[in-house]
Amino acid sequence: MLKIPSFEIDHLRLKPGLYVSRKDEVSYETVTTFDIRMKRPYREDVMDTGAMHALEHICAAYMRNDELWGSKILYFGPMGCRTGFYLLVVGDIGTEEILPLIERTFDFASDYEGEIPGATPIECGYCVDMDLEGAKAHAALYYNLLIDAKKENFNYPKKRQKKEKP
Ligand SMILES: [Zn+2]
């Protein structure tokens, strides 16, 4: 099997942040995949499924309703390792460009009140696993991280140079 590019990132040196994971050409359009990395791998606890699930519903609903970006959002969903989310957007887009949307989204989620969008048995496959308070806490932490983010939170760690054989 070929190695998937996202497995080539050194996760031991990866900081939480916002990264361009990949860009794919799909029938005359570029699709940009963003790595919304909320937790530092192996240094911080991963998120619980209930908190991630609630965040997924709230953030996806918010982004799809955004006037500027809504029609370009292809997919927003959790990473299996529970350290963050992937966001797929139509267009050749950089982190500076998408950052305001991500900030708005997590700011919105951080003090969300009321019914979680789509959290009914008809609309969702396991709507009993929802933790709104957890979702809000993780959203607030990530929002604050973005506000104070530095270059290193937007650029993947450089690849380790393989030692050359003598
Ligand atoms: Zn669901």
Side-chain angles (χ1 to χ4, degrees):
M1 273 202 291
L2 287 172
K3 208 169 181 186
I4 297 170
S6 66
F7 292 165
E8 291 186 4
I9 306 299
D10 184 349
H11 285 77
L12 290 171
R13 294 193 300 148
L14 178 61
K15 301 212 164 132
L18 175 65
Y19 305 94
V20 170
S21 173
R22 55 186 294 147
K23 290 184 180 179
D24 296 286
E25 301 301 323
V26 184
S27 70
Y28 308 110
E29 281 278 14
T30 302
V31 172
T32 305
T33 299
F34 290 98
D35 171 339
I36 297 177
R37 191 68 62 157
M38 298 174 67
K39 304 296 170 188
R40 184 162 181 182
Y42 307 102
R43 306 285 176 94
E44 285 179 88
D45 289 336
V46 301
M47 291 176 274
D48 291 334
T49 57
M52 284 202 91
H53 193 188
L55 260 184
E56 181 201 6
H57 278 236
I58 295 165
C59 293
Y62 181 88
M63 288 176 178
R64 289 190 188 285
N65 282 290
D66 189 78
E67 272 187 29
L68 214 58
W69 290 98
S71 63
K72 296 188 185 313
I73 304 298
L74 273 185
Y75 173 75
F76 174 81
M79 293 176 181
C81 61
R82 293 187 275 136
T83 60
F85 290 85
Y86 281 118
L87 171 67
L88 275 70
V89 185
V90 178
D92 184 347
I93 299 151
T95 48
E96 331 71 41
E97 227 180 315
I98 202 77
L99 183 60
L101 172 71
I102 307 300
E103 286 177 351
R104 284 203 292 285
T105 302
F106 283 85
D107 187 26
F108 175 79
S110 70
D111 48 28
Y112 187 81
E113 297 287 344
E115 297 288 309
I116 296 169
T120 68
I122 287 178
E123 297 166 290
C124 167
Y126 197 49
C127 68
V128 291
D129 189 25
M130 291 274 186
D131 172 9
L132 179 58
E133 288 315 306
K136 288 163 74 169
H138 290 304
L141 285 170
Y142 186 62
Y143 174 73
N144 287 334
L145 182 129
L146 289 179
I147 294 298
D148 294 330
K150 301 184 183 77
K151 261 189 179 170
E152 62 192 35
N153 303 105
F154 298 112
N155 296 291
Y156 277 135
K158 288 212 172 70
K159 282 207 175 98
R160 265 184 244 249
Q161 296 294 318
K162 277 185 187 144
K163 276 184 192 152
E164 280 181 37
K165 283 173 191 163

